[in-house]
Amino acid sequence: MVFVKRQDLEKICCGIFTALGIPEDEARSSAEILVAADARGIRSHGVARIKRYVEGIRAGYITGGVKPRILRQTPVSFVLDAEGGMGLSLSKRSMEKVVSMAEEHGFGACSIRNSNHFGIAGYYAEMAARKDMIGIAMTNTAALGVPTFGRKVMFGTNPIAFAAPSLNAKMFSLDMAATTVTRGKVEVYEREKKPLPPGWAVGTDGRTTRDPAGLLEDMLYQRGGGLLPLGGEGEQSGGYKGYGLAVMVDILTALCSGGSFGENVKDSELTSARVCHFFMALRIDLFRPPEDFKKDMSLMLEALSSLPPAEGAERVYYAGQKEQETEEASNRNGVALTEQVWKTLCDCAASLGLNATRHPV
Amino acid sequence: MVFVKRQDLEKICCGIFTALGIPEDEARSSAEILVAADARGIRSHGVARIKRYVEGIRAGYITGGVKPRILRQTPVSFVLDAEGGMGLSLSKRSMEKVVSMAEEHGFGACSIRNSNHFGIAGYYAEMAARKDMIGIAMTNTAALGVPTFGRKVMFGTNPIAFAAPSLNAKMFSLDMAATTVTRGKVEVYEREKKPLPPGWAVGTDGRTTRDPAGLLEDMLYQRGGGLLPLGGEGEQSGGYKGYGLAVMVDILTALCSGGSFGENVKDSELTSARVCHFFMALRIDLFRPPEDFKKDMSLMLEALSSLPPAEGAERVYYAGQKEQETEEASNRNGVALTEQVWKTLCDCAASLGLNATRHPV
């Protein structure tokens, strides 16, 4: 692993985006969100993705400096057509507006269509939690998931993030795909030539497949088959629940904004699909004094994380705890990147005539 | 099976509640909600539960005619202490108020503590959907679920309901426990002497158990072990996601109302635990004209339910579709009850000097 100072990493990514013509403010917040993913140990959503962003920007599929079109606005809500702008910076700005609506009226929400990959959903939910609010963030994604009892993809991994504050800047922060796993996990099994665990995916016949290479090929050529919803195949282990949650995300993100949903959300060869987002903030003092709420949150999180672990397990975590601990370590010791991701980033910078400067941590 | 006219069934249940001293209006709406569960085929939450309600009322643990204490109120929110009132009728009244707040301000929410079993969560979410809103309803329940990597119960089955309207009175209506299954399912396996499928429950060591009788005994005597969250044991199939959803429900229901959460929510010998609820409604025209939204909903639901099924499967359903079809059949042909449930209901009525009148369907 290579350890890079958070600020250095942000500067490199920001430099890449600005060199591609993304305005400074959008480039900076996009870089911050990408790097936040690595800092938390969510490497699938961090700078490892920069090549896809770069390709998308070069192909004109992701554009900087877009002024999103306001489709609808009320004192507590708005709907945007992102017109292919940067999903990361646009989402941050939108959540800021949702939070300020909630500051004034107790509640705020927005639904956005025609946007691009927004990184980690939890980033936006946590923005609200830091303001003594409950924060929710969702996005639909390229269709990779198969409904219970179906055999073709009809929804994305459709992540749901929910965050609520506790004492001492701690928080509960759930950020979960509605499918059992994401495509990235299948790719890891394919590289390692391991059979897929049951409950992860179905083949073209709609039944469990253990073959990662075959699955990836079937998905690429849209022959049928795909990822299973959380809960796995059929009804016995509750697969219809993950399926229901995935459709819920499509409703809030795409049906509420008039965007693409279901099987119509597709990655292109060059870049990720145009997707839809949903953000919501709910002021905690609608219900209770935030200090009382946070005291109870602290008791609950303490109780959960101090539980005796199962035979063979090390610890019980609450949602977001691992990521918060990893982020603290990243802030002290630098953000850990694989040699390969670091090299790709340096090459990417060099191809734009930039130096990837790395100070000692 | 015995087929009973919906109105007859409602009348019998209402009669039982009023004979026990529950005021007429509370008795009537409570009866309606219980019978709605049977009408939709959700028998675990229907009149089969009447004995537990009756015992709870007789023991004074559930009381009629309670005026809930308002702990906090804003134009878009309120918090109640239900003081042990009827969970069913109180929840209906509360959702009505939430819906009227949303009618005026676009949004409404409430959190309620110290309440009793409220029946099917979906009933309340659908009240909002019928008014062109997105409806959400949740409740915490007696602790039966074990956190990922843990070995003792720390949350309930904590159902989440989400409903959104489509055309022609159809709707998407998800109503799901955050655990893979509920205790009722384990009891069925115990009666049938079948081993539990993996992913359902862990024993006192925190590892998968297949033994329903042993599990039920360990849970009864609180020796450890319990139901697994949606996604099953460990992290491989996403068990931390169901665990996270269960805690999310505790946050919105109990932490927002100052009620009991986690392991402190316990059934007594006589009745179900005092629990906490959360209701929310969001007007669709905050985002889009409801007619446009519903047209897209109709396209989506149609696309999902007309998918070619997996090998060996009959049909693909969207959330709530089975229940809506069952309800239509129940309205035509009467509500199906097992002989045993019908007998229990008749005995219960007779013990209060009432006749369980059943007209031909």
Side-chain angles (χ1 to χ4, degrees):
Chain A
M1 301 301 277
V2 182
F3 289 84
V4 190
K5 267 195 170 173
R6 189 165 183 162
Q7 293 80 347
D8 286 345
L9 207 46
E10 286 172 356
K11 214 165 168 182
I12 298 165
C13 295
C14 182
I16 291 171
F17 288 138
T18 49
L20 289 161
I22 305 295
E24 177 78 22
D25 58 334
E26 292 182 24
R28 198 177 322 113
S29 60
S30 297
E32 275 169 23
I33 299 162
L34 275 189
V35 171
D38 287 302
R40 295 168 191 196
I42 314 167
R43 296 207 189 101
S44 53
H45 286 62
V47 301
R49 289 190 73 94
I50 200 132
K51 244 185 108 188
R52 275 185 89 73
Y53 288 102
V54 168
E55 283 166 353
I57 295 166
R58 282 195 164 133
Y61 202 81
I62 305 177
T63 47
V66 167
K67 205 175 142 42
R69 200 148 47 94
I70 299 172
L71 301 172
R72 208 172 182 92
Q73 186 159 22
T74 80
V76 295
S77 69
F78 59 100
V79 178
L80 300 180
D81 187 321
E83 301 197 320
M86 288 286 280
L88 298 155
S89 48
L90 172 71
S91 293
K92 189 175 178 188
R93 250 186 305 146
S94 298
M95 191 53 158
E96 280 164 358
K97 192 165 168 194
V98 163
V99 164
S100 76
M101 283 173 157
E103 263 164 359
E104 198 169 343
H105 304 286
F107 166 81
C110 84
S111 193
I112 302 176
R113 76 186 186 197
N114 211 8
S115 180
N116 284 294
H117 197 267
F118 79 177
I120 42 172
Y123 187 91
Y124 310 104
E126 293 180 12
M127 285 171 63
R130 272 192 291 277
K131 300 270 188 180
D132 285 350
M133 297 177 185
I134 282 160
I136 289 176
M138 301 176 183
T139 188
N140 70 2
T141 76
L144 298 169
V146 175
T148 304
F149 296 134
R151 54 167 80 197
K152 57 176 281 207
V153 296
M154 289 297 283
F155 50 79
T157 54
N158 292 12
I160 299 166
F162 173 95
S166 177
L167 295 176
N168 307 319
K170 295 203 160 121
M171 57 175 78
F172 174 86
S173 180
L174 177 67
D175 183 353
M176 55 171 270
T179 48
T180 302
V181 291
T182 55
R183 180 169 49 188
K185 275 266 178 81
V186 176
E187 288 164 352
V188 170
Y189 273 63
E190 195 256 332
R191 281 198 295 276
E192 297 176 357
K193 307 258 177 276
K194 289 202 298 197
L196 298 175
W200 282 26
V202 291
T204 53
D205 60 355
R207 305 302 305 268
T208 288
T209 178
R210 313 289 304 263
D211 169 22
L215 172 71
L216 289 168
E217 204 184 285
D218 288 340
M219 284 166 76
L220 181 64
Y221 295 107
Q222 299 179 25
R223 291 185 197 133
L227 303 174
L228 277 167
L230 177 63
E233 188 184 358
E235 293 185 328
Q236 182 174 270
S237 296
Y240 57 96
K241 300 179 185 180
Y243 162 35
L245 290 172
V247 175
M248 176 186 84
V249 171
D250 248 354
I251 291 172
L252 291 169
T253 60
L255 283 280
C256 281
S257 67
S260 299
F261 57 86
E263 61 184 327
N264 297 318
V265 190
K266 281 179 190 155
D267 288 341
S268 77
E269 262 176 69
L270 281 174
T271 187
S272 303
R274 290 273 173 89
V275 290
C276 303
H277 316 312
F278 176 80
F279 301 104
M280 192 176 118
L282 201 52
R283 232 168 54 207
I284 283 162
D285 72 357
L286 291 184
F287 304 104
R288 271 183 98 186
E291 285 313 306
D292 295 352
F293 175 91
K294 289 194 281 188
K295 265 181 220 157
D296 276 353
M297 281 292 293
S298 181
L299 288 174
M300 182 175 71
L301 299 184
E302 187 55 44
L304 290 170
S305 57
S306 60
L307 282 174
E311 201 68 48
E314 271 173 43
R315 258 176 85 179
V316 177
Y317 295 90
Y318 56 82
Q321 190 181 11
K322 269 188 199 175
E323 290 76 11
Q324 287 154 35
E325 290 177 4
T326 306
E327 185 162 15
E328 282 163 24
S330 298
N331 291 341
R332 276 195 312 272
N333 313 325
V335 178
L337 299 179
T338 64
E339 302 274 353
Q340 198 201 331
V341 166
W342 172 243
K343 188 179 173 307
T344 307
L345 188 66
C346 292
D347 291 350
C348 185
S351 76
L352 291 158
L354 303 166
N355 272 327
T357 309
R358 192 174 136 221
H359 295 94
V361 282
Chain B
M1 301 299 279
V2 182
F3 290 83
V4 190
K5 268 195 171 174
R6 190 165 181 162
Q7 294 78 350
D8 286 344
L9 207 47
E10 285 173 355
K11 214 165 166 184
I12 297 165
C13 294
C14 182
I16 290 171
F17 287 138
T18 49
L20 289 162
I22 304 294
E24 179 77 22
D25 58 334
E26 293 182 24
R28 198 176 322 112
S29 58
S30 297
E32 276 170 22
I33 299 163
L34 274 190
V35 172
D38 286 302
R40 295 170 190 195
I42 312 169
R43 296 206 188 101
S44 53
H45 286 61
V47 302
R49 287 189 76 94
I50 199 131
K51 243 184 108 188
R52 276 186 87 73
Y53 288 101
V54 168
E55 285 166 351
I57 295 166
R58 282 195 164 134
Y61 203 80
I62 304 176
T63 46
V66 167
K67 204 175 143 40
R69 199 149 47 93
I70 299 171
L71 301 172
R72 206 170 183 92
Q73 187 159 22
T74 80
V76 295
S77 69
F78 58 101
V79 179
L80 299 180
D81 187 320
E83 301 195 321
M86 289 285 280
L88 298 155
S89 48
L90 172 71
S91 293
K92 190 176 178 189
R93 251 187 303 148
S94 298
M95 191 53 157
E96 281 165 357
K97 192 164 168 194
V98 163
V99 164
S100 76
M101 284 174 159
E103 264 164 359
E104 198 167 345
H105 303 286
F107 167 81
C110 83
S111 193
I112 302 177
R113 74 185 188 201
N114 211 8
S115 180
N116 285 295
H117 198 266
F118 78 0
I120 42 171
Y123 186 92
Y124 310 104
E126 292 180 13
M127 287 171 62
R130 273 192 290 277
K131 301 270 187 180
D132 284 352
M133 297 178 186
I134 282 160
I136 289 175
M138 303 177 182
T139 187
N140 70 2
T141 76
L144 297 170
V146 175
T148 304
F149 297 134
R151 54 168 79 199
K152 58 177 282 210
V153 296
M154 290 296 283
F155 51 78
T157 54
N158 291 13
I160 300 166
F162 173 96
S166 178
L167 295 176
N168 306 319
K170 295 203 160 120
M171 58 174 79
F172 174 87
S173 180
L174 176 67
D175 184 353
M176 55 171 269
T179 48
T180 302
V181 291
T182 55
R183 181 167 49 187
K185 275 264 179 84
V186 175
E187 287 164 354
V188 171
Y189 273 63
E190 195 256 330
R191 280 198 295 274
E192 298 175 357
K193 307 261 177 273
K194 289 201 298 195
L196 298 175
W200 281 27
V202 291
T204 53
D205 59 355
R207 304 303 303 268
T208 288
T209 179
R210 313 289 304 264
D211 168 22
L215 172 70
L216 289 168
E217 202 185 286
D218 288 340
M219 283 166 78
L220 181 65
Y221 294 108
Q222 300 178 24
R223 292 184 197 134
L227 303 174
L228 277 168
L230 176 63
E233 189 185 356
E235 293 185 329
Q236 183 171 271
S237 297
Y240 58 97
K241 300 178 185 181
Y243 163 34
L245 291 171
V247 175
M248 176 185 84
V249 171
D250 248 353
I251 291 172
L252 291 169
T253 60
L255 282 280
C256 281
S257 66
S260 298
F261 58 86
E263 62 185 323
N264 297 319
V265 190
K266 281 179 190 155
D267 287 340
S268 77
E269 261 174 71
L270 280 176
T271 186
S272 303
R274 292 274 173 90
V275 290
C276 303
H277 315 312
F278 177 80
F279 301 103
M280 193 176 117
L282 199 53
R283 231 169 54 209
I284 283 162
D285 72 357
L286 292 183
F287 304 105
R288 272 183 99 187
E291 286 312 307
D292 295 352
F293 175 90
K294 289 193 282 189
K295 264 181 223 160
D296 276 354
M297 281 293 293
S298 182
L299 288 175
M300 182 173 72
L301 299 184
E302 188 54 44
L304 290 170
S305 58
S306 61
L307 283 174
E311 201 68 49
E314 270 173 45
R315 258 177 86 178
V316 177
Y317 295 89
Y318 57 81
Q321 189 181 12
K322 268 188 200 176
E323 290 76 11
Q324 287 154 34
E325 289 177 6
T326 306
E327 185 161 16
E328 282 163 25
S330 298
N331 291 341
R332 276 195 311 273
N333 313 325
V335 178
L337 299 179
T338 64
E339 302 274 355
Q340 198 200 330
V341 166
W342 172 243
K343 188 179 175 304
T344 307
L345 188 68
C346 292
D347 291 350
C348 186
S351 77
L352 291 158
L354 304 166
N355 272 327
T357 309
R358 192 175 135 221
H359 295 94
V361 282

